[in-house]
Amino acid sequence: MEEEYWKRFLKTGKIKDYLYYKGMKICTQVMERYTKGHALPDEARLPHRGADYGNPGWS
């Protein structure tokens, strides 16, 4: 599928088509990581929401 988007970009030269290609490439990489068990657990991706959430501590 990536190749399809790459060919479209080569044909048109449009930035939009290149971005579609890059998006598909990144999506494929993420999906491969996930299927290999290298995805981070949800709690590792989310910011910690403790009592000081929203307070940068600059005061």
Side-chain angles (χ1 to χ4, degrees), residues 7-8 17 27 31 36 52:
K7 286 179 182 180
R8 185 185 308 167
D17 291 330
C27 180
M31 290 176 66
K36 291 179 183 177
D52 293 332

Side-chain angles (χ1 to χ4, degrees), residues 4-21:
E4 200 176 304
Y5 287 96
W6 180 249
K7 286 179 182 180
R8 185 185 308 167
F9 166 67
L10 291 177
K11 184 178 179 180
T12 66
K14 293 181 180 180
I15 293 172
K16 177 182 170 182
D17 291 330
Y18 176 74
L19 293 175
Y20 274 115
Y21 162 73

Side-chain angles (χ1 to χ4, degrees), residues 28-47:
T28 300
Q29 290 171 348
V30 169
M31 290 176 66
E32 286 174 358
R33 254 191 188 164
Y34 181 77
T35 58
K36 291 179 183 177
H38 295 288
L40 293 173
D42 286 342
E43 55 272 0
R45 286 189 295 248
L46 299 174

